[in-house]
Amino acid sequence: MNNLEQQAHSHIKRGWFVHPLRPASKIPATNHGKDDATLDPEKVSEWWRRNPNFNVGVSTGPSGLCVLDADHGLASMEEFEAWRVRNRIPETYAVRSGRRPDFGVQMYFRGSVKDGKFELDGVSGDIKSAGGLVLAAGSVHPDTREVYQAIYGDVPVAPMPEAVLELARKSRAAASVQDDGEPITHDRNSRLTSIAGRLRNAGLTAAALEAALLQTNLDRCPDPLDEEEVKRIAANVARYKPADEPVAVTIGGKSSDAHGPQDEPFTGDWSVLFHTREDTENTPDPVFLIRDFLQDESVTGIIGPARARKSIVTLNIIHALLTGERLFGKFEVKNKPERVVYLCPESGKKSLGRRIRNMGLLPYVGESLFFTSMNSDPVALNDPRLLAAMKGAVVFIDTAIRFFKGDENSSEYMKAFGEQCHGLVRHGVKAVVLLHHTAKGAENVTLESGRGSGDFGGFLTCCWGTTLSDYEDAYNAQSLMSCVKQRDFQADSFKLAPSGNQDDFFLQYVEGSANARVQVGAKEKAGKAKALAFARANPDVTAQAMQRALAEQGVAYSESACRGMLRGVRALKITESSSNVLHQQIPTTTHVT
């Protein structure tokens, strides 16, 4: 095993997702780049057997890392140490990059923030986290051919300090003015040209512009442009003086350049963007763990209001997976996993232990069922011990927000969490099941009614919604299960009835309940009526203002629900206005009899 492969294996033992880059390059050596990052040692060995000189890329998002990459402003280890201490940045695992002549340093911290740029006390560089990529120690810099070296190799990774959080906040505020910071999935040439224009106008030299654009291409393009193409864009933009007006203006998705020629048409092999016939032919059909309910290699959601039996539904699924008995007496278990891991910091050990015993699952505990509770020590999803336990398992996370890092309303943070969950599947987890609360005031359970960013529903393979027919009689009420997001199978909504024994927690499928619906209660109807009345009287207010006003009236309505209602009222107002104008333009016809 050579040095680069050893580095890759040492990093996955830390819980860091790695993938290969071309030798002495930052360009991914696999088709999907960072999306191929893994913790699987067999996959890592396979990659570096193919080419022992592959650089090692660390995907910071699923690894739960924030790397402060100081590119410019330091000339020596002594200057770095003085700068670090002066700015209250703690000692942590760090790597000297291959950048020369600058003394570039990458400081690793636990946590996740939005990627961006930073400048602190004369030192500048990048914040690489939710969507970032860094070269690991042992890798070779593409320009200088210098090797990345661990300088604090034996120091544990420190939690993200306040100084770095503040840099991330400043970076995000600056980016919101200039650029949305979102992944670049289309119009890559024009978007990168536009970014290059802003960087050049800010005073970057040609060399600095090229380096920044190459890094932007890797960090922000899920499918990066070829390195030579990015260098050509940078060279074109660098021809103009920084004092000139911005080089590129994007109109209708196309870049126009007032001073020079348009980008030349791409003449390479564009077919590499797409799946091949052989790849398509050999793609296996979806596999079910539980037929028409839970797919293998999936990230599945269970969403519902508080007290909607999400945890009880979960225990019924766990019982079916362990025993092989039909789920709810209806859905056939097709493939039993090696084990089930249930992470449940929402419940105490006494309560959860009682449920497990009463459902006959005690013999499986410690053999094929492993669970945590609020009494257990906190554990992160990228903890190497937990990753080892989860391989080959179906993993239930109750609730998702307990393992979420950052602002739950942020699209970027939610996407990073989704990437982490799918990274677990690539690592060998059979399926990840995420329990999630609906937002307060959400009337119906839909994919968009979940708490926090709507991107939660976007990364799910499948999502089941659950609610009760009567929350005032929760023990005897029936549950409604509806598949609010489905792929590769058709799923009707259905009802579940409790067994009648309040101690066993089993739920049974209600025959004849396909396509069932739960009626909205009087309280919910009254709340909706107040919300609708407010929206009609105040159609131009913001969703946040409407939410606050309703809360003052005792009505809990989510911001997304307010936004949807306001849009509907505005659309209706426009339609009615158009109809009135049209009616006024039509002359009255007198009928003579």
Side-chain angles (χ1 to χ4, degrees):
M1 186 182 297
N2 69 5
N3 181 53
L4 287 165
E5 185 180 351
Q6 286 177 342
Q7 287 289 351
H9 279 283
S10 71
H11 283 14
I12 64 174
K13 287 179 181 177
R14 289 176 176 263
W16 300 347
F17 286 71
V18 304
H19 65 102
L21 307 172
R22 295 178 189 175
S25 172
K26 295 182 179 180
I27 298 175
T30 60
N31 291 335
H32 306 105
K34 290 184 294 184
D35 289 340
D36 288 325
T38 185
L39 294 170
D40 186 349
E42 295 179 3
K43 190 66 177 178
V44 168
S45 296
E46 176 188 328
W47 281 331
W48 270 269
R49 278 197 302 269
R50 193 194 316 166
N51 190 330
N53 295 317
F54 278 153
N55 269 350
V56 181
V58 176
S59 185
T60 52
S63 302
L65 291 171
C66 172
V67 176
L68 196 65
D69 189 357
D71 284 332
H72 306 288
L74 298 171
S76 66
M77 184 69 179
E78 291 72 21
E79 284 191 15
F80 164 62
E81 275 291 340
W83 173 81
R84 181 184 66 76
V85 173
R86 190 167 60 247
N87 291 284
R88 298 181 180 179
I89 298 176
E91 194 174 80
T92 188
Y93 178 89
V95 173
R96 183 186 181 187
S97 74
R99 182 182 294 277
R100 299 292 187 274
D102 297 279
F103 191 86
V105 181
Q106 297 174 335
M107 291 156 279
Y108 287 54
F109 299 99
R110 295 200 308 272
S112 182
V113 295
K114 190 173 182 179
D115 296 356
K117 305 287 183 181
F118 81 91
E119 194 285 324
L120 176 65
D121 191 15
V123 174
S124 62
D126 298 291
I127 300 169
K128 299 178 179 179
S129 186
L133 162 71
V134 293
L135 267 65
S139 297
V140 179
H141 194 279
D143 297 326
T144 66
R145 293 302 193 268
E146 296 285 348
V147 175
Y148 284 61
Q149 301 171 337
I151 53 178
Y152 288 153
D154 298 327
V155 178
V157 176
M160 196 186 317
E162 180 59 34
V164 176
L165 286 169
E166 181 60 26
L167 289 175
R169 284 191 285 266
K170 290 180 179 178
S171 172
R172 186 174 181 181
S176 66
V177 176
Q178 299 182 14
D179 187 61
D180 62 11
E182 296 292 330
I184 300 172
T185 57
H186 61 281
D187 295 333
R188 294 170 298 169
N189 283 67
S190 60
R191 291 284 301 278
L192 288 174
T193 302
S194 179
I195 291 169
R198 285 194 296 272
L199 294 174
R200 181 61 168 164
N201 202 47
L204 266 66
T205 65
L209 174 62
E210 179 180 288
L213 203 62
L214 285 168
Q215 191 63 50
T216 300
N217 180 49
L218 292 173
D219 288 348
R220 303 248 328 259
C221 297
D223 183 17
L225 286 176
D226 183 83
E227 184 172 353
E228 293 304 316
E229 176 71 5
V230 178
K231 288 182 177 180
R232 190 187 64 76
I233 294 173
N236 284 343
V237 173
R239 289 183 297 147
Y240 306 105
K241 296 179 180 179
D244 288 349
E245 293 182 358
V247 175
V249 179
T250 302
I251 303 174
K254 295 183 179 180
S255 174
S256 67
D257 187 337
H259 303 287
Q262 297 285 333
D263 284 344
E264 298 176 5
F266 179 73
T267 58
D269 181 10
W270 49 260
S271 67
V272 297
L273 296 173
F274 305 98
H275 289 295
T276 64
R277 180 185 300 175
E278 181 182 9
D279 183 25
T280 306
E281 183 179 12
N282 295 325
T283 300
D285 291 333
V287 174
F288 282 96
L289 298 168
I290 301 177
R291 183 188 291 277
D292 295 338
F293 191 90
L294 178 62
Q295 284 180 275
D296 190 17
E297 297 183 347
S298 70
V299 178
T300 295
I302 298 177
I303 186 173
R307 300 172 55 232
R309 293 195 187 126
K310 296 187 292 293
S311 296
I312 301 299
V313 168
T314 294
L315 284 171
N316 277 259
I317 300 171
I318 291 172
H319 182 275
L321 290 171
L322 293 174
T323 65
E325 297 177 12
R326 286 179 177 264
L327 174 62
F328 311 132
K330 173 72 173 180
F331 299 97
E332 180 185 4
V333 176
K334 300 298 294 182
N335 292 282
K336 292 170 62 176
E338 294 178 26
R339 66 184 72 91
V340 169
V341 174
Y342 185 20
L343 306 176
C344 187
E346 291 262 312
S347 299
K349 180 174 66 174
K350 291 182 179 179
S351 173
L352 187 54
R354 172 174 170 265
R355 292 177 176 181
I356 286 173
R357 291 192 304 272
N358 289 4
M359 294 190 73
L361 296 176
L362 184 60
Y364 297 93
V365 176
E367 297 291 337
S368 52
L369 172 59
F370 299 85
F371 73 97
T372 65
S373 68
M374 66 170 58
N375 302 96
S376 307
D377 291 334
V379 60
L381 291 180
N382 64 341
D383 187 300
R385 299 166 299 171
L386 183 58
L387 290 168
M390 291 191 294
K391 190 168 184 178
V394 175
V395 178
F396 294 84
I397 299 177
D398 186 359
T399 59
I401 210 68
R402 295 281 187 163
F403 293 86
F404 187 86
K405 296 177 180 178
D407 179 6
E408 65 182 292
N409 295 303
S410 164
S411 171
E412 193 72 19
Y413 284 118
M414 190 62 78
K415 288 176 182 176
F417 181 65
E419 184 179 350
Q420 185 176 28
C421 292
H422 282 281
L424 294 176
V425 175
R426 292 194 295 271
H427 169 64
V429 172
K430 298 293 288 181
V432 177
V433 182
L434 301 171
L435 279 66
H436 194 49
H437 294 305
T438 52
K440 291 182 179 179
E443 179 182 332
N444 298 309
V445 179
T446 66
L447 196 62
E448 293 77 26
S449 64
R451 172 176 162 179
S453 168
D455 284 277
F456 176 82
F459 69 72
L460 296 175
T461 310
C462 167
C463 186
W464 288 95
T466 180
T467 188
L468 296 185
S469 60
D470 186 355
Y471 281 89
E472 295 183 3
D473 187 17
Y475 278 110
N476 299 309
Q478 291 186 338
S479 295
L480 173 73
M481 296 288 295
S482 55
C483 194
V484 296
K485 181 177 184 179
Q486 53 187 287
R487 288 179 181 166
D488 304 314
F489 67 100
Q490 180 177 350
D492 296 325
S493 58
F494 57 89
K495 289 183 178 180
L496 296 172
S499 67
N501 182 350
Q502 294 184 5
D503 290 327
D504 67 15
F505 305 104
F506 285 109
L507 300 171
Q508 289 293 316
Y509 182 89
V510 177
E511 293 297 335
S513 67
N515 295 314
R517 296 291 183 269
V518 171
Q519 298 299 317
V520 177
K523 182 178 180 181
E524 288 79 7
K525 287 183 179 179
K528 181 177 181 180
K530 288 184 178 181
L532 186 57
F534 181 91
R536 286 173 172 169
N538 307 276
D540 297 322
V541 300
T542 65
Q544 296 93 326
M546 176 176 171
Q547 185 184 32
R548 288 194 298 269
L550 291 176
E552 292 174 359
Q553 300 178 38
V555 177
Y557 236 61
S558 70
E559 184 180 326
S560 60
C562 291
R563 186 178 295 109
M565 186 169 285
L566 286 168
R567 285 174 180 167
V569 168
R570 291 165 188 159
L572 182 61
K573 187 177 179 181
I574 292 171
T575 302
E576 290 174 346
S577 176
S578 300
S579 177
N580 290 337
V581 171
L582 181 63
H583 180 73
Q584 293 170 6
Q585 292 175 345
I586 299 176
T588 302
T589 301
T590 302
H591 293 276
V592 180
T593 58

